[in-house]
Amino acid sequence: VNGHQFTIVWHIDDLKFSHIGKKGMQKIISWLEKKYGAMKTARGRKHEYLGMTLNFSLNRRMMINMKDYISSIIDDFPHKVVKTPVTPADAHLFKVDN
């Protein structure tokens, strides 16, 4: 769009767009809303997407973490975890040669 890459990532009904220009983004959003109805949008350098926190605040780098999502899964787990589970894997699978 306008000579720059426009990236669209989707998973079922969740979309993530990225583009250098705001006008190009708004044009696509307007077209999608006309076709499918209103969308929830967020702009900025930090976003929640499919359980991930995507942070674009560092120049030319992106940080991804799922700490909040994993913490919510653990908090919602209905049983108290009191021991390490037994695994069918042989012990040699966990040894790393240096």
Side-chain angles (χ1 to χ4, degrees):
V1 175
N2 298 328
H4 296 281
Q5 177 176 323
F6 190 109
T7 304
I8 302 174
V9 179
W10 71 90
H11 181 265
I12 304 172
D13 64 349
D14 291 315
L15 301 167
K16 183 188 121 8
F17 302 147
S18 59
H19 185 262
I20 196 166
K22 292 179 184 178
K23 287 182 182 179
M25 294 275 292
Q26 189 54 52
K27 188 175 181 179
I28 297 294
I29 291 169
S30 295
W31 179 81
L32 286 168
E33 287 186 328
K34 191 181 295 183
K35 189 164 180 76
Y36 300 107
M39 297 186 332
K40 178 183 171 188
T41 61
R43 291 185 169 94
R45 300 209 174 260
K46 194 172 181 182
H47 303 278
E48 299 294 322
Y49 181 69
L50 302 176
M52 299 175 285
T53 300
L54 307 175
N55 186 338
F56 298 91
S57 62
L58 296 175
N59 189 28
R60 301 182 60 85
R61 291 174 52 189
M62 179 175 109
M63 294 183 292
I64 303 172
N65 84 53
M66 296 182 75
K67 291 177 185 176
D68 293 337
Y69 183 69
I70 292 169
S71 291
S72 72
I73 291 170
I74 292 169
D75 292 344
D76 292 344
F77 191 67
H79 307 285
K80 183 171 178 141
V81 179
V82 294
K83 64 181 182 175
T84 302
V86 177
T87 176
D90 202 353
H92 75 279
L93 291 175
F94 302 104
K95 292 182 183 174
V96 177
D97 295 331
N98 291 329

